[in-house]
């Protein structure tokens, strides 16, 4: 897609991690980039607030959603349903609310790019919440790609990426996790936010891509 001085992109979740890297990459192009997240006052679990936000930002060309990466871990029998619902409210329902609201204000040739994660298609005990909400996003995105056409809707599915999402870990444990990934993944490294940003740019730029799930996981799914 051709970016001009009038091109407007919004990155929900764009103040940290992968979303921040996407916004930074887009800022090098013509046009404007707006970022929104809980830290800027946008609560993606509030459908009315999301709708009002896009009404105020209209018109827009491209929307990227990277918010809501946190989810409780643990066995199905152990995880609180309320905790699981909170994770779904942010990532799954937040993505759906964003797509629905944004679609009313996207100009011809525009796109919506959502975010899932490799656990959508990888069976790992103790991760059912992430698995379920990521798989749900991938399934619904394909429906959105048909319902919202000609707006293009795609999903980026990241693997392990070194972002602020792991900031709560002990520094040594975090480094051990990243080193283990570097040894085990076919790519020989854990992901960096900038690696993932290139995938979002591809989904935005390629006018022949819609309804796709693009894996950027260092080879985790073939491991």
């Amino acid at each position: 897609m051709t970016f001009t001085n009038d091109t407007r992109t919004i990155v929900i979740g764009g103040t940290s991690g992968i979303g921040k890297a996407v916004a930074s990459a887009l800022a090098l192009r013509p046009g404007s980039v707006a970022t929104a997240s809980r830290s800027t006052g946008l609560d993606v679990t509030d459908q009315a607030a999301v709708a009002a936000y896009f009404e105020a930002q209209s018109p827009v060309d491209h929307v990227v959603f990277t918010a809501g990466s946190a989810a409780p871990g643990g066995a199905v029998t152990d995880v609180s349903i309320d905790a699981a619902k909170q994770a779904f409210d942010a990532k799954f329902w937040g993505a759906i609310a964003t797509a629905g609201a944004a679609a009313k204000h996207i100009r011809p040739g525009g796109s919506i790019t959502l975010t899932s994660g490799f656990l959508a298609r990888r069976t790992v005990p103790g991760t059912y919440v992430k698995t379920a909400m990521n798989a749900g996003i991938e399934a619904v995105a394909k429906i959105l790609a048909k319902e919202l056409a000609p707006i293009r809707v795609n999903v980026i599915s990241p693997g392990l990426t070194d972002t602020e999402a792991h900031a709560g870990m002990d520094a040594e444990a975090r480094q051990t996790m990243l080193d283990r990934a570097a040894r085990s993944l076919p790519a020989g490294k854990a992901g960096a936010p900038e690696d993932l940003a290139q995938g979002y740019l591809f989904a935005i730029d390629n006018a022949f891509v819609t309804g796709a799930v693009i894996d950027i996981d260092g080879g985790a799914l073939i491991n």
Side-chain angles (χ1 to χ4, degrees):
M1 304 300 293
T2 301
F3 274 61
T4 71
N5 290 336
D6 293 328
T7 302
R8 183 161 177 76
T9 307
I10 295 176
V11 183
I12 305 297
T15 58
S16 64
I18 293 170
K20 184 176 180 179
V22 174
S24 295
L26 289 167
L28 300 176
R29 298 180 170 197
S32 62
V33 183
T35 59
S37 67
R38 188 179 295 274
S39 68
T40 69
L42 179 63
D43 180 0
V44 297
T45 70
D46 184 339
Q47 186 177 12
V50 173
Y53 175 80
F54 279 98
E55 185 73 33
Q57 296 291 325
S58 184
V60 62
D61 297 285
H62 305 289
V63 174
V64 172
F65 185 92
T66 64
S69 61
V76 176
T77 53
D78 297 333
V79 174
S80 159
I81 295 295
D82 285 340
K85 285 180 177 179
Q86 288 177 12
F88 261 84
D89 284 345
K91 185 165 187 177
F92 179 79
W93 292 116
I96 302 308
T98 294
K104 298 178 175 66
H105 304 284
I106 291 178
R107 290 184 284 211
S111 70
I112 297 171
T113 309
L114 307 178
T115 305
S116 62
F118 80 104
L119 289 172
R121 283 162 287 132
R122 181 75 178 268
T123 303
V124 179
T127 66
Y128 94 89
V129 179
K130 280 194 173 185
T131 291
M133 64 187 186
N134 287 336
I137 287 170
E138 292 182 2
V140 175
K142 293 180 180 296
I143 294 173
L144 289 172
K146 297 196 74 172
E147 290 185 350
L148 301 182
I151 296 171
R152 295 180 299 105
V153 182
N154 295 292
V155 182
I156 303 300
S157 177
L160 177 63
T161 308
D162 186 13
T163 70
E164 295 93 328
H166 306 294
M169 294 179 66
D170 172 78
E172 184 175 348
R174 178 175 178 174
Q175 191 58 53
T176 297
M177 175 186 70
L178 297 172
D179 291 343
R180 185 183 300 120
R183 291 192 301 269
S184 64
L185 289 172
K189 67 186 291 291
E194 294 75 18
D195 298 325
L196 273 297
Q198 295 304 310
Y200 292 87
L201 297 184
F202 169 79
I204 289 170
D205 289 342
N206 194 317
F208 201 51
V209 175
T210 192
V213 177
I214 302 168
D215 296 314
I216 307 180
D217 61 8
L221 288 175
I222 63 170
N223 223 12

